[in-house]
Amino acid sequence: MTVPVRGKCIVMRHDVDELAWNALKMAQLENKLGIRATYFFRIVKQSNVPEVIAQIVGLGHEIGYHYEDLSLAKGDETKAIKTFEDNLNYFRKYYPVRSVCMHGSSTSEYDNRLLWKNYSLSDFDLVGEPYLSVDFDKTFYLTDTGYAWDGGKFATRDVVENRFGLRFHTTNQIVDCIKSGAFPERAMILAHTLWTDSRLQWDWLHLREFLRNHVKLMAKNNPGIARLYKKIVDLYWK
Ligand SMILES: [Zn+2]
């Protein structure tokens, strides 16, 4: 995931928050297109599916750890660094992981990046953490967080200032921009695994994410809704 200094470069990043089998479909498609991407897996069962990880490695993609140890340890730094190391070693059974990337844990009061307050990536033989290692003044960041290319207002922690003056709503707008030559030479594209070729799953996810985005916005100003939303989220990931 190291970004070279010169020339055109796209880092294709997939955070496998859930629906790991969708990640495999994406990985197969990219493999056919000659694209090598980076798949960041969480330790939770919705993401950490051994058959999927092994097959994605087999397709020639890079694997990273999508860590959330500080929020899972409820801010206990000692516990979090221990589980971080254990989980990293677990994913290294599949691939020599050199990159990690924080999971936003939007309902948690703990920002997982704070794990690096007293530790450094090199302590774990790591070379990159997108939110810490990439200069987003020089690298355009395009993310589908919030279930849309312009869903930034729904993001809690996956927030990067856009200095490129570009904004997209549809994927076709991105394609047109690339064709016109106006797309930045260096970019990191984050696509989650909610992309699907099943119409039923697409409609269901569309409805779920629409509701979730609006509950997240309401929760910002309403502690009661925030507590209820956190309870539902905690139950879902259990
Ligand atoms: Zn995530």
Side-chain angles (χ1 to χ4, degrees):
M1 209 195 60
T2 313
V3 182
V5 181
R6 282 189 207 92
K8 289 185 180 176
C9 174
I10 300 281
V11 173
M12 192 69 203
R13 168 183 151 203
H14 301 292
D15 289 1
V16 188
D17 282 8
E18 56 178 325
L19 304 171
W21 291 96
N22 282 4
L24 180 59
K25 282 189 183 174
M26 292 168 98
Q28 287 163 338
L29 185 63
E30 284 166 336
N31 177 267
K32 270 193 204 140
L33 295 169
I35 295 168
R36 187 167 183 249
T38 306
Y39 285 81
F40 287 98
F41 284 90
R42 296 171 68 191
I43 199 68
V44 297
K45 65 177 185 296
Q46 291 88 342
S47 172
N48 173 15
V49 179
E51 308 98 283
V52 169
I53 302 172
Q55 287 189 61
I56 291 180
V57 171
L59 289 164
H61 297 292
E62 180 187 0
I63 300 297
Y65 174 33
H66 198 33
Y67 65 97
E68 56 197 302
D69 299 88
L70 201 58
S71 60
L72 288 177
K74 296 189 170 49
D76 182 335
E77 201 183 296
T78 314
K79 197 172 162 189
I81 205 70
K82 172 82 178 75
T83 60
F84 176 85
E85 189 167 24
D86 290 348
N87 295 339
L88 181 63
N89 286 334
Y90 164 75
F91 286 112
R92 280 180 169 159
K93 287 196 301 187
Y94 300 93
Y95 185 89
V97 175
R98 305 296 304 278
S99 311
V100 293
C101 172
M102 67 112 188
H103 173 61
S105 301
S106 64
T107 56
S108 170
E109 63 191 278
Y110 303 103
D111 184 330
N112 289 307
R113 280 168 293 196
L114 292 178
L115 195 62
W116 305 112
K117 209 171 57 182
N118 296 314
Y119 296 91
S120 66
L121 294 170
S122 59
D123 294 341
F124 300 92
D125 199 21
L126 293 165
V127 293
E129 205 297 3
Y131 297 100
L132 306 174
S133 318
V134 178
D135 182 352
F136 287 111
D137 285 346
K138 296 193 179 102
T139 303
F140 177 56
Y141 185 49
L142 181 59
T143 171
D144 67 350
T145 292
Y147 206 49
W149 294 119
D150 54 359
K153 67 171 186 271
F154 300 114
T156 306
R157 295 202 171 96
D158 179 28
V159 180
V160 164
E161 206 174 324
N162 179 353
R163 296 186 193 279
F164 291 81
L166 290 171
R167 192 182 158 93
F168 304 105
H169 183 65
T170 68
T171 304
N172 280 340
Q173 288 169 351
I174 301 168
V175 173
D176 288 344
C177 182
I178 294 169
K179 281 183 181 161
S180 76
F183 196 80
E185 292 218 325
R186 292 159 55 101
M188 174 180 284
I189 301 176
L190 164 58
H192 288 81
T193 47
L194 302 185
W195 297 84
T196 172
D197 54 0
S198 152
R199 181 72 218 201
L200 197 68
Q201 192 181 51
W202 181 266
D203 287 343
W204 153 241
L205 289 171
H206 211 89
L207 177 68
R208 189 193 78 174
E209 292 305 295
F210 173 83
L211 293 173
R212 198 164 78 96
N213 281 337
H214 287 85
V215 169
K216 266 167 88 175
L217 280 189
M218 282 192 287
K220 277 185 185 169
N221 304 311
N222 186 322
I225 291 178
R227 274 196 300 276
L228 182 65
Y229 175 57
K230 183 174 168 24
K231 267 204 179 111
I232 295 168
V233 170
D234 287 350
L235 267 178
Y236 182 78
W237 295 117
K238 229 179 182 107

